[in-house]
Amino acid sequence: MKKIVIMCVAILVGMTTSCSDSFLEVAPKAALSSAALQNSKGVNALLVGAYALLDGWATPEGAYRSYQVGADNWVYGSVASDDAYKGTIAGDQPPISLIEQGNISSDNIYFRGKWRGMYDGIARCNDVLQLLPKVTDMSAEEKAQVEAQAKFLRGHYHFELKKMYNMVPYIDETIYDPNNLQSTKIPNTEDIWPKIEADLLAAYNVLPPKQTQPGRASKWAASATLAKAYLFQKKYDDAKVLLEEIVASLQFKLMDRYHDNFRAVTNNNSESIFEVQYSVNDGASGGENGNIGSTLNYPYGGGGVTTCCGFFQPSQNLVNAFKTGADGLPLINTFNDSDVTNDQGVEATQPFTTYNGTLDPRLDWTVGRRGIPYLDWGIHPGKTYIRDQAYGGPYSPKKHVMYRSDVGTNTFAGNPRLNANNYRMIRYSHVLLWLAEIEVELSNLEAARGYVNQIRARAANPDGFVKNPDGTPAANYVINQYTLPWTDQDEARKAVQFEQRLEFGMEGHRRFDLVRWGIAAQTLNEYYAVEGTKRPYLNNVQFVEGKHEYFPIPLQEILNSQVNGSTTLVQNPGY
């Protein structure tokens, strides 16, 4: 009835104004015009909007979901690798199951979600850059700082697209016309690495070493991201210069305790180079500024942690990788010959003895497993935390999870899964291990060993071990540095790559690292061959070399790219 009345009023208004079309010039309500934004406050609001897409949540309802887009790439970098299973149950979020099982097709909504989210972020950056010349109440220096941040973010969003899909269009402010829906329909036949580099270099040259507000990109954030782009292209000398400059700045250091990189109370610490900011109880509706991209990824029930949703369970292969030998070094070539003991199929009421072999202590800050304290929530009970153990395995994710002590302060009042535990996109440990990687490729093996040993020395700090309630170590943690000289380049390369997995497990980097190292097919096919005996849905899964290094260009985006009846986007090989 109310709708009908409104329609009638609209018709009457149309009749009484039919002799004039001035009603067409009325500005829409709840929208700011370009003129209203042409000032310092307006352009900075647009810039904050460009930052907002880092977490994948700032979009009209239904356009895409935050867990398709979020900065941590848990689906594309971890579940699509050997680090994690989708988890939960078979019928929940089947598009993720298809990705995990190598059934990768261009009509999967997750691929389109990531594509749309990144180009949404790019459009926001271009809005800033187009508006900036029209602003009159800012100094040239202030404008330069805004421009540099927008270009950093634009470079980042294009970088995300590049590592996902490879051949994608680069859209800058000279191409993007918000009044012309055809303006961005350009071919994806050009390699966009040079343009990504140009944006990140422009940011690096202008941004300050430190920002007054947490979360804003600094010179070192741009430097590290540019160095990462160089690494993806194997431009080792170029990357080395930038990374060594970060070390020489003395602005960053490893936190004494590894797990302080995964706590809300230690956000923006001395190890953080670029961090995606989450906040709660800040007035945003529904707590949507919290870590919403991981909202599915908590133990399913019991223990008071949460009741949803059981996704993102660590793989047995990842757990096995944390085994160490009697010398405290990783078992790089034999780690998966046997399994760390787990409680698969063991009821919570039945006794269970935890694995007593030697382990890297980073395991129990990465993976929740039965018999080991789960942050400050108490001892992980095993099966009662798992929605379907036969399907998703016996383990729980950990790094993004809130502490019990966070509840009420660093968690949203209506849903503690929405919390303020930031995502550390680039931290100082990345810099050190990237330098180790570079030194191996430049045949400076002892320099590489030194960088890896810095990481291992931190991990060996007993103050950073997971502890039982009585203060004793929760497991048999034995970890040492490499003491013998590195003389074999191939073995050194394996050691560095393995250390990156141990340091950054479950953080969304793994598949992209395997691809850039050129070992994705071998590593993942070996993983599927063994893991398929534990998880039947992984039986006969294959990573197809020459195809699966990149995900497909979303089918709907190809269809939408038509100009004059012809599509401008070309699909990736094999799809």
Side-chain angles (χ1 to χ4, degrees):
M1 181 69 180
K2 183 177 179 181
K3 183 176 180 181
I4 295 173
V5 171
I6 293 172
M7 289 178 64
C8 291
V9 171
I11 292 170
L12 287 171
V13 169
M15 292 172 62
T16 58
T17 58
S18 60
C19 294
S20 170
D21 59 6
S22 61
F23 72 97
L24 296 174
E25 299 172 6
V26 177
K29 296 182 184 295
L32 292 175
S33 67
S34 176
L37 294 169
Q38 290 176 20
N39 51 62
S40 175
K41 186 176 180 179
V43 79
N44 273 289
L46 289 179
L47 180 61
V48 170
Y51 275 104
L53 256 293
L54 289 170
D55 70 356
W57 186 266
T59 179
E61 181 68 25
Y64 45 78
R65 305 301 295 271
S66 55
Y67 35 86
Q68 299 170 8
V69 183
D72 59 3
N73 283 318
W74 66 272
V75 173
Y76 316 109
S78 293
V79 172
S81 78
D82 50 358
D83 269 8
Y85 313 130
K86 183 204 74 174
T88 191
I89 59 174
D92 204 342
Q93 292 293 319
I96 308 178
S97 296
L98 294 173
I99 295 171
E100 180 184 13
Q101 296 164 25
N103 188 358
I104 296 173
S105 61
S106 62
D107 59 353
N108 189 306
I109 61 171
Y110 271 69
F111 298 136
R112 190 176 186 219
K114 183 70 173 180
W115 179 282
R116 296 179 73 185
M118 294 304 94
Y119 277 114
D120 190 352
I122 289 164
R124 293 176 184 216
C125 296
N126 287 328
D127 283 338
V128 171
L129 294 169
Q130 288 178 338
L131 183 67
L132 197 57
K134 303 173 185 177
V135 174
T136 58
D137 64 343
M138 296 175 68
S139 68
E141 172 58 25
E142 288 171 331
K143 286 186 176 183
Q145 290 298 316
V146 169
E147 178 182 355
Q149 291 178 69
K151 286 187 174 180
F152 168 81
L153 291 170
R154 188 171 68 184
H156 161 76
Y157 290 128
H158 279 105
F159 194 161
E160 286 290 289
L161 289 161
K162 177 68 176 174
K163 71 184 187 184
M164 282 279 295
Y165 309 104
N166 191 24
M167 300 304 289
V168 296
Y170 198 93
I171 310 297
D172 65 19
E173 76 277 19
T174 67
I175 294 172
Y176 171 60
D177 180 355
N179 298 312
N180 178 9
L181 297 180
Q182 303 281 63
S183 65
T184 57
K185 295 183 178 181
I186 63 173
N188 61 331
T189 52
E190 179 184 1
D191 189 342
I192 69 170
W193 277 128
K195 293 182 177 178
I196 292 174
E197 292 176 12
D199 267 350
L200 295 174
L201 183 61
Y204 164 76
N205 286 332
V206 173
L207 291 174
K210 288 186 177 181
Q211 292 280 12
T212 57
Q213 291 182 315
R216 288 189 183 267
S218 69
K219 174 187 184 73
W220 305 123
S223 177
T225 307
L226 179 57
K228 184 178 179 181
Y230 287 148
L231 271 180
F232 268 67
Q233 301 171 80
K234 297 181 168 47
K235 294 182 176 181
Y236 299 119
D237 290 322
D238 293 331
K240 181 178 179 180
V241 170
L242 294 170
L243 295 172
E244 287 184 335
E245 187 181 21
I246 294 173
V247 173
S249 76
L250 301 179
Q251 188 170 323
F252 306 98
K253 66 176 184 177
L254 296 176
M255 294 293 287
D256 291 338
R257 304 185 306 179
Y258 175 69
H259 64 282
D260 281 337
N261 289 298
F262 317 109
R263 303 186 64 187
V265 295
T266 51
N267 284 344
N268 302 303
N269 60 46
S270 63
E271 191 168 338
S272 177
I273 295 177
F274 189 64
E275 194 160 311
V276 179
Q277 306 294 306
Y278 301 127
S279 65
V280 292
N281 306 321
D282 54 6
S285 64
E288 60 192 36
N289 287 335
N291 186 0
I292 199 165
S294 292
T295 192
L296 302 179
N297 305 337
Y298 293 83
Y300 186 67
V305 180
T306 182
T307 56
C308 184
C309 295
F311 284 76
F312 196 32
Q313 293 181 242
S315 71
Q316 185 66 52
N317 183 284
L318 175 65
V319 172
N320 292 344
F322 287 92
K323 291 190 294 186
T324 61
D327 57 2
L329 297 179
L331 306 176
I332 295 173
N333 297 310
T334 61
F335 75 94
N336 209 37
D337 288 354
S338 61
D339 289 344
V340 170
T341 309
N342 64 66
D343 68 322
Q344 183 79 43
V346 179
E347 296 297 330
T349 56
Q350 294 177 307
F352 172 74
T353 301
T354 57
Y355 181 75
N356 62 5
T358 52
L359 294 166
D360 186 314
R362 287 171 289 187
L363 167 63
D364 290 324
W365 292 116
T366 304
V367 175
R369 58 193 184 101
R370 183 169 175 179
I372 305 297
Y374 193 74
L375 305 180
D376 59 352
W377 290 99
I379 303 299
H380 191 289
K383 196 171 183 179
T384 57
Y385 267 14
I386 310 298
R387 191 173 186 183
D388 184 351
Q389 205 181 60
Y391 176 76
Y395 303 115
S396 301
K398 206 166 188 178
K399 285 183 173 177
H400 63 279
V401 174
M402 71 290 182
Y403 283 62
R404 184 192 292 270
S405 56
D406 288 330
V407 175
T409 54
N410 288 307
T411 63
F412 177 58
N415 180 357
R417 288 179 287 125
L418 301 176
N419 61 71
N421 184 11
N422 290 348
Y423 175 64
R424 283 74 167 175
M425 186 175 290
I426 301 179
R427 55 185 201 265
Y428 190 56
S429 49
H430 281 107
V431 169
L432 296 178
L433 288 177
W434 289 340
L435 278 167
E437 182 180 335
I438 290 165
E439 297 293 15
V440 167
E441 300 307 325
L442 298 180
S443 299
N444 303 320
L445 304 187
E446 283 297 271
R449 181 169 71 95
Y451 287 122
V452 170
N453 278 341
Q454 289 187 53
I455 300 298
R456 296 186 67 79
R458 188 265 295 279
N461 176 12
D463 187 44
F465 292 177
V466 174
K467 304 289 178 58
N468 290 316
D470 64 1
T472 59
N476 186 11
Y477 302 128
V478 178
I479 179 172
N480 289 310
Q481 300 177 44
Y482 289 93
T483 56
L484 296 178
W486 283 3
T487 57
D488 184 296
Q489 187 181 38
D490 288 339
E491 291 304 309
R493 184 180 295 114
K494 287 181 183 179
V496 171
Q497 292 173 351
F498 206 85
E499 197 68 31
Q500 294 202 40
R501 186 184 193 191
L502 298 175
E503 182 73 7
F504 306 117
M506 300 291 286
E507 294 183 47
H509 303 294
R510 177 66 172 168
R511 185 185 179 103
F512 303 113
D513 282 340
L514 292 173
V515 169
R516 71 184 180 85
W517 291 333
I519 60 172
Q522 176 186 344
T523 302
L524 293 181
N525 286 331
E526 289 175 357
Y527 164 74
Y528 297 136
V530 176
E531 217 68 17
T533 66
K534 302 177 175 72
R535 311 268 80 81
Y537 63 81
L538 291 177
N539 192 29
N540 296 321
V541 174
Q542 284 288 309
F543 182 101
V544 178
E545 194 166 8
K547 174 182 178 180
H548 285 152
E549 286 80 3
Y550 299 101
F551 297 117
I553 307 296
L555 175 61
Q556 191 61 49
E557 298 304 324
I558 293 177
L559 296 176
N560 289 344
S561 76
Q562 290 191 34
V563 175
N564 297 324
S566 298
T567 59
T568 56
L569 294 179
V570 178
Q571 186 56 274
N572 283 331
Y575 294 104

